[in-house]
Amino acid sequence: MVPILMHEFEIDPEKSPNSDLVHGLEALAEKFLAREPSSKSISLEDQALAELMPLLERQFGVLTEGATEAVWLWRRDCEELLYVSPAFERIWGISRDDLRNNPNGWINSIHPDDRERMQAWQGHQLLKKVSEEDSDAEYRIIRPDGETRWIHDRVLPMRNELGEVVQCAGIAVDITDLKVTEEKLKQQQSVLLDLAIHRTEKHAALGVSLGHITTATAHCIAADRAGIWTFNSDKSALTCIELYEKNENVHSNGHTLLVEGCPNYISALMGNQPIAANDANQDARTSELREIYLEAFGIASQLHSPIRIDGELRGVVCLERVGSPRQWMDADLSFANSVSDLVSRTIVEHEMRVEDKQRHALENRFAQAQKMESLGILAGGIAHDFNNLLQGILGNADLARRVVPQDSSAQKNLKSVSDIAQRASELCDELLAYSGQGEILFGNVDLAETVREMAKLMEVALTKSCALHFDFGASLPLIYADKTQIRQVILNLITNASEAVGKSSGSVYIRARARHCESIELKTPLEETPLPAGRYLVLEIEDTGCGMDPNVLQRMFEPFFTTKFTGRGLGLAATLGIMRAHKSALDIQSSPGEGTRVRLSFPALPDEATLPEEPVFPPPPSEPGGTILVVDDEKMVLMAAEGMLRNSGYDVRLAENGREALKIMNEEGSAITCVLLDLLMPEMSGEVVFEKLRELSGDLPVIISSGYSQHQMCSVFPESEVPHFIKKPYDLDQLLRVINEATVRSPKA
């Protein structure tokens, strides 16, 4: 009730707390001033004032009796309160008689923090003409019961002909609820701003971001539970992906509602408007949730705000009251809508980050695959060329050993040359295995027995301080594999394990078990698609060594990358190539100081599978004879083959390319017993030469010679015309055996 002045009656009734009341006060003020035309006439005797009061009571009472606003009339000359309406008692908690008897009761009721300001304002406004903007004031009062309320006062000054304020009428409105709402809105805006900043700056995981939103929302809006629900892909169910329970201060998720069980609720959500169910158990939009959800958690009220992304309904933000029903206010609905908008943006940004991460991962895999493919092609080409060189070395060394007397000291040197050439050939095989072009001779293999056969060799590979432990399950199934390559894989891994243990005491464990594996367990590095689920024979090689850090794990399959001394690094690259060729899975788990575990998962054969019988090769002829045409673009290979064959009793014709070979065949084809043909040659490839030879003599035995594998050779020729094959480098015994096999089976021979 602050007498803040206005220009005389120049107020906008539409802007006042109660326009009808303002109009009534204006009319009464005009009547009152008409009775008091001058400042002199205002100085009434007490008797006159006493006569005036009943009139004021009657006139103001008619207008203000039922009003919620407190109306008052104040006289300046005697500083006396002439009238105050009944609403004053309801707002201030003080009787009107007490206020009349103690005019300072009003100023004393003002909150201490506002009192000095209001006194200064009151005194200042009485001495000057004020603008319309100065006619309102807001302040706090403290009722006798201790409750604090906010008051908005509007003052109507009454002036005499000299412009002096002689009396004031006013309207005091209790705006506590409005202030509470304003404060609530400020708090909500602050929360939304904080959530928005958290969303844009933190880029946290979706679950963390949504958990932050539900926590802040529940506390801000005083909800017992705040949940975020999303539809599944076919819109058949709503699943709670984040739920915060304020009373327990816990987060959870996972509850599911089937759409077919709550059609009215889903239909209401589709309306794109928030659902404010003050009594959720009775509200027609949510009552069908009573038995399937509400009763289980004691939920009485719900506020639902749909989550939409690009116009599509993706889910709902659900705020809940447990226990007794709650009246949801407009501010609550507005806040819930803002939260659902924030959730939708959070989900969109998360999905964009996931898509971006997947795209980058795909690009990295593609780049890595291209890199590995390029290295594989390079490795295969190097291996092929080296095998040609090794053929010349091994062939000539083998021939020399047969010529030099057995008791000659040169035999030892020649044996060393042959051994080195064989070891170099094995290195080339590793390169071919890495490139996926290695020779693979598949058959049924007993993996456990293969490992046992290698025990002595593995013990040699291990350091003296490293102990080897075997643990094989009973009745292990066979696998379909190349036994030689499996040995190579195991030896590579055992060697790595031993070097990881180093000079300190440690152990290497080899375990084998047959079990069912899920597809997720069968993901091989650098392979996008895992193997199908099924029964696998799982071989684990685990060491207690130094382990590998993430950088090493990322690069361990790169050829020639090594943490050892220079010249190493093909082991794991070759292992990966072999496992790929066997359609088997490879998994490596390691961390610094924790050792390494390598898991090899081979598809298991049915229990009724058996081991193959040992092949029986025909013996070399006791008296070899005939003419062999050798075709190869490498002179060293030609010379080595010629020496071995002539030394074994064959006549030999040499051709450095396909054209020379066909010329020889046209001139003396009937005398040619067999052709030893290189697969890869310039100008005319071995494949083309083979076709031409078939045209000239369909039953002529042809042996393909290549540094690549027989598997690669078979992919070049039609299945019905696959020729005989010998892999470089080969020795004389191998060559004679293949020639004998080819000529024995040939009708021409």
Side-chain angles (χ1 to χ4, degrees), residues 60-74:
F60 275 89
V62 171
L63 186 62
T64 65
E65 187 67 32
T68 58
E69 300 88 346
V71 179
W72 50 270
L73 183 63
W74 176 80

Side-chain angles (χ1 to χ4, degrees), residues 37-82:
S38 68
S39 59
K40 182 178 180 180
S41 63
I42 290 175
S43 301
L44 301 173
E45 297 294 335
D46 292 341
Q47 182 178 355
L49 182 60
E51 294 175 356
L52 179 63
M53 289 304 298
L55 174 63
L56 291 173
E57 292 283 357
R58 288 195 302 274
Q59 291 181 326
F60 275 89
V62 171
L63 186 62
T64 65
E65 187 67 32
T68 58
E69 300 88 346
V71 179
W72 50 270
L73 183 63
W74 176 80
R75 179 174 174 176
R76 181 182 181 186
D77 61 346
C78 62
E79 296 189 355
E80 184 174 356
L81 186 64
L82 300 180

Side-chain angles (χ1 to χ4, degrees), residues 618-640:
S622 56
E623 296 182 2
T627 302
I628 306 296
L629 172 60
V630 182
V631 188
D632 202 298
D633 61 314
E634 291 286 346
K635 271 192 174 182
M636 184 179 294
V637 176
L638 287 175
M639 296 300 101

Side-chain angles (χ1 to χ4, degrees), residues 6 19 60 87 115 215 256 280 296 309 322 410 562-564 669 694 736:
M6 294 182 57
S19 59
F60 275 89
R115 189 176 300 156
T215 301
T256 299
I309 298 177
V322 175
T562 180
T563 58
K564 307 164 188 175
R694 279 284 176 265
L736 294 179

